[in-house]
Amino acid sequence: MARSVADQFVETLAAAGVKRIYGIVGDSLNGLTDAVRRQGKMEWLHFRHEEVAAFAAGAEAHLTGEIAVCAGSCGPGNLHLINGLFDCHRSRVPVLGIAAHIPSPEIGSGYFQETQPQILFQECSHYCELVSTAHQMPRVLEVAIRQAVGKRGVSVVVIPGDVALQPAASAAQPNAGGLLPSPPIVTPSRPDLDRLATLLNGDDRATILCGSGCQGAHDELIALGERLKAPMVHALRGKEHVEWDNPYDVGMTGLIGFSSGYYAMRDCDVLLMLGTDFPYRQFYPEGNGARIAQVDLRPENIGRRVAVDLGVVGDVRATLSSLLPLLKPKRDGSHLAKAQQHYAGARKELDRLAKGTPGKGLIHPQQIAKTISDQAAADAIFTCDVGLPTVWAARYLAMNGKRRLVGSFWHGSMANALAQALGAQAAYPGRQVISLCGDGGFTMLMGDFLSLVQLNLPVKVVVFNNGTLGFV
């Protein structure tokens, strides 16, 4: 049998390290699924709903940092991917979406199931391109992979089923070195570091706000807290990277945060934002004269949520490593002590709510969440639905540097937890995966509960059944 475009497509995915494709089969995907079967090097994980496939791919990409792949057949099939791909894109995880298309001679004729996926997916991708010929495919796919990996987001390749079955055109053999660009380590210029050090070396009360950009910088954060005697507040996406073994962490801020986190940010003279795009403007210390500095790898984030006095472009870990030698140790720890005391009170009240009351028929969800945290494996992976399950996860799941937490924290979609747990367990079959689902979210995509059995994925699924969309 002649080598097809689909064979070449699958070979390129394998060169990029792809181990599995999440999706639902369809006739427009036949060339691709048969190429996967013939090659025998990667899995096709068949789900009940394409939206679940996209969420699952996003969870794999979040946990591994590597590109993950999902696929949908022409028209309605790939349309189902779009909500999950929006979540992947907004969460900045590298995912390739394969959108099969109607037969190429019929494009533009109003054919059965015809849509325009190359237009539909543009808003939730860095790169979205239609493959029209066998000669075009290799370069389009390679560009898509580089964009997803390099820019940390979604790429979509649209390919008609008949094009996938055409004989492959000659092209250079792909390799990981050319497909997978390494992430840059960006260190600010010395003048920027000097300006930041000058701002932080004063006698003003400093508070640090940490986001997901602090991943991998835990040691540097602890050293910074000690040097500045500064309380650290974390955004939700910073929880798994910041709060563990950190005496300077005083809780989360935001709509579901702690009062201690809120006041530590409002009651400061200098706020240092590290790797966070925390969106809720009403929680920033505006109007009290506080000066704000922001460090972020992405220049477009600087000053987007609150006016800043100093914006510094750089990787958080690299920036702190260069900044720490320029900082003078502070002696006055009163601001930190006050924030720590406030946090201890808030934590005590939250823990009180998680204690069971003998003799009552109903169980507090707080008690369930804390018990799960206490009993879970040291390297457990948690997923949580939006709304109240996210509240319980944020307040009661203890992180330790090995555990991971995945949710729809930017896109805020219902029904993400079970879907993301499927991807997490597929990527890490030897780790414990626990999905905290709301009754509303679970019933929305509950068909893929069957996939857990079909695919032999031992996810622990907890459904918080309060009979309502409680956060609404």
Side-chain angles (χ1 to χ4, degrees):
M1 183 176 179
R3 180 167 170 261
S4 68
V5 170
D7 291 317
Q8 194 174 38
F9 197 108
V10 172
E11 290 167 7
T12 303
L13 294 183
V18 174
K19 299 177 179 64
R20 59 194 62 84
I21 300 175
Y22 303 90
I24 296 182
V25 297
D27 52 3
S28 55
L29 280 170
N30 280 352
L32 184 70
T33 53
D34 202 38
V36 170
R37 178 191 62 81
R38 286 196 301 273
Q39 184 207 59
K41 293 182 180 179
M42 67 181 67
E43 295 179 280
W44 177 279
L45 297 187
H46 182 75
F47 288 172
R48 263 72 183 172
H49 198 300
E50 289 91 350
E51 183 177 340
V52 176
F55 272 119
E60 177 182 328
H62 175 98
L63 295 167
T64 65
E66 300 170 357
I67 190 166
V69 180
C70 58
S73 57
C74 67
N78 64 57
L79 277 179
H80 282 309
L81 293 171
I82 197 163
N83 189 51
L85 289 181
F86 255 104
D87 184 85
C88 296
H89 197 57
R90 300 194 71 189
S91 297
R92 291 184 53 80
V93 295
V95 170
L96 172 68
I98 302 170
H101 206 359
I102 63 171
S104 56
E106 304 294 347
I107 294 175
S109 70
Y111 190 69
F112 175 64
Q113 292 190 324
E114 182 173 4
T115 60
Q116 292 182 295
Q118 69 275 20
I119 296 175
L120 288 165
F121 289 103
Q122 284 183 1
E123 191 176 349
C124 63
S125 64
H126 290 302
Y127 181 81
C128 180
E129 192 58 67
L130 170 66
V131 174
S132 301
T133 69
H135 291 277
Q136 180 196 8
M137 190 284 294
R139 184 160 53 172
V140 166
L141 180 56
E142 290 186 19
V143 170
I145 292 171
R146 291 190 198 101
Q147 292 251 19
V149 173
K151 293 183 177 180
R152 309 296 296 176
V154 170
S155 287
V156 177
V157 172
V158 182
I159 181 166
D162 61 301
V163 173
L165 293 171
Q166 292 174 6
S170 60
Q173 195 69 19
N175 63 81
L179 285 173
L180 306 175
S182 299
I185 298 176
V186 179
T187 303
S189 66
R190 182 56 190 258
D192 277 347
L193 290 169
D194 287 340
R195 282 189 284 268
L196 185 55
T198 299
L199 178 63
L200 297 173
N201 277 333
D203 294 328
D204 299 316
R205 300 166 301 167
T207 293
I208 305 167
L209 173 62
C210 303
S212 60
C214 292
Q215 183 175 4
H218 191 266
D219 291 344
E220 290 77 10
L221 286 175
I222 300 301
L224 180 67
E226 169 63 25
R227 194 70 54 90
L228 297 180
K229 298 292 187 292
M232 290 184 198
V233 181
H234 63 264
L236 178 55
R237 292 188 68 216
K239 175 182 172 70
E240 61 176 335
H241 310 303
V242 175
E243 74 170 10
W244 52 279
D245 291 343
N246 186 348
Y248 307 100
D249 185 77
V250 296
M252 192 175 73
T253 188
L255 296 176
I256 60 175
F258 304 176
S259 58
S260 54
Y262 174 80
Y263 284 112
M265 279 180 58
R266 299 289 293 186
D267 189 28
C268 70
D269 303 310
V270 174
L271 176 66
L272 174 59
M273 300 169 59
L274 296 176
T276 181
D277 192 30
F278 178 71
Y280 303 110
R281 291 186 291 171
Q282 63 268 40
F283 290 88
Y284 285 99
E286 289 187 285
N288 67 347
R291 290 171 294 167
I292 300 176
Q294 184 175 3
V295 177
D296 204 288
L297 186 60
R298 292 176 287 162
E300 66 270 23
N301 282 0
I302 303 292
R304 179 155 71 170
R305 308 303 178 186
V306 65
V308 300
D309 297 274
L310 176 61
V312 176
V313 176
D315 172 83
V316 170
R317 183 179 184 183
T319 300
L320 293 186
S321 295
S322 300
L323 176 66
L324 283 166
L326 306 179
L327 297 179
K328 301 173 183 177
K330 289 191 176 183
R331 297 180 179 178
D332 185 359
S334 57
H335 175 53
L336 172 61
K338 181 180 178 182
Q340 288 172 325
Q341 184 178 11
H342 198 157
Y343 174 60
R347 184 72 262 173
K348 182 178 180 180
E349 178 60 20
L350 289 172
D351 290 342
R352 183 188 66 80
L353 295 172
K355 291 181 180 178
T357 305
K360 291 205 172 182
L362 298 178
I363 303 174
H364 286 302
Q366 295 96 319
Q367 182 185 0
I368 297 297
K370 186 176 187 307
T371 301
I372 290 169
S373 179
D374 292 343
Q375 298 297 323
D379 64 345
I381 299 169
F382 301 96
T383 66
C384 59
D385 270 334
V386 298
L388 289 172
T390 293
V391 176
W392 313 140
R395 294 181 177 179
Y396 295 102
L397 295 183
M399 298 291 105
N400 58 9
K402 298 178 181 179
R403 290 177 169 181
R404 301 300 305 273
L405 177 62
V406 184
S408 184
F409 298 143
W410 260 116
H411 190 49
S413 173
M414 289 182 66
N416 62 285
L418 175 63
Q420 290 171 330
L422 283 155
Q425 192 73 84
Y428 291 98
R431 289 176 68 172
Q432 188 181 70
V433 177
I434 302 171
S435 178
L436 307 182
C437 300
D439 49 357
F442 179 76
T443 54
M444 185 175 282
L445 289 174
M446 67 187 295
D448 273 287
F449 189 71
L450 299 173
S451 300
L452 295 176
V453 178
Q454 175 184 316
L455 299 172
N456 296 313
L457 299 175
V459 174
K460 281 69 179 166
V461 180
V462 180
V463 180
F464 290 92
N465 178 21
N466 62 1
T468 186
L469 299 178
F471 211 62
V472 179

